[in-house]
Amino acid sequence: MYLCVKTFRRIILSFAVLLTLYRVGYAQQSDSTQYLIKKTDDFQVSGIGDHANWSKTNWVPITVQESANRPLGTKTKVLYSGTGMYFLFQCDDQKLTATIQEDFGSLFKEDVVEVFLWPDPAVPIYFEYEVSPLNFELPILVPNINGKAQGWKPWNYRANNKTQHATSIQGGEKMSHSAINGWTAEFFIPYRLLSPIVPAIPTSGTKWRGNLYRIDYDQGYQTWSWKKTSGSFHEFKRYGTLVFE
């Protein structure tokens, strides 16, 4: 009888521990203000998102903020390493509304995905990165003081200070106004590019603020965002929290 009671108590204790862990895990997953980012070894981006390292994390949906009445799906994955952060966007689409053929152009006026990183909330300066379906990029540092924002291009933008980025198209050609089914953007942002706004290389438990966006112009202006704003993507105080696992 003593052994049965002892065994029963152990089972109850184990169940209680598992229930606690489940509740903690569920709370983290269901907290829409936080994005849990898993760690990875460095790898080369391809624009397809087929590297095995992406299996370390799950897709997170980016939902419609301003709608042109088209239910196009958008989802993302994010990873981090000892040298930078990796991003993967998958965008359902019908037409490739992109004509800009240069880096540092006004990509936000056409189809694009965007990432905003705000490592140090004590300073109103954050990093904005955009990439178009045609694989042109716009990396800028944004001082946002009293509601007035200005983008600054990186200096000495080369070697290990530079991003990696690639895109691919599904169901059509990578050319302006092509009919397509969707497109993928995959890119890597090194911490060195974010200097000096990164207080330190993130480790487990580090928290940054940030946001993830998409814009599409096929049938009018339509936007998607991870954390909703009132309209401007530069409302940095509304950004969510990126938690490095």
Side-chain angles (χ1 to χ4, degrees), residues 1-21:
M1 180 69 179
Y2 172 76
L3 290 177
C4 291
V5 171
K6 188 174 181 180
T7 300
F8 178 75
R9 286 176 177 172
R10 285 178 178 175
I11 292 173
I12 293 298
L13 180 60
S14 298
F15 178 78
V17 171
L18 289 172
L19 182 61
T20 300
L21 291 173

Side-chain angles (χ1 to χ4, degrees), residues 65-148:
Q65 174 158 303
E66 295 179 63
S67 177
N69 298 316
R70 292 185 305 129
L72 300 176
T74 307
K75 56 186 179 180
T76 185
K77 289 186 176 186
V78 185
L79 295 169
Y80 82 102
S81 73
T83 63
M85 298 180 68
Y86 292 84
F87 297 86
L88 180 64
F89 281 81
Q90 179 59 50
C91 306
D92 294 344
D93 210 345
Q94 297 170 342
K95 184 174 68 173
L96 206 163
T97 305
T99 62
I100 297 172
Q101 301 281 335
E102 61 178 355
D103 292 329
F104 296 100
S106 299
L107 302 182
F108 51 87
K109 294 183 177 180
E110 300 182 339
D111 293 357
V112 74
V113 293
E114 304 182 350
V115 167
F116 289 75
L117 299 174
W118 186 22
D120 187 356
V123 181
I125 301 175
Y126 47 87
F127 179 76
E128 176 181 354
Y129 186 78
E130 303 180 12
V131 64
S132 75
L134 299 180
N135 197 32
F136 292 99
E137 67 169 357
L138 174 60
I140 53 176
L141 200 64
V142 182
N144 192 329
I145 301 172
N146 297 324
K148 296 181 180 180

Side-chain angles (χ1 to χ4, degrees), residues 216-235:
D216 189 89
Y217 287 88
D218 295 355
Q219 297 179 19
Y221 182 72
Q222 183 169 349
T223 64
W224 293 254
S225 59
W226 170 53
K227 287 302 299 173
K228 298 296 178 285
T229 67
S230 64
S232 171
F233 288 173
H234 289 278
E235 292 179 297

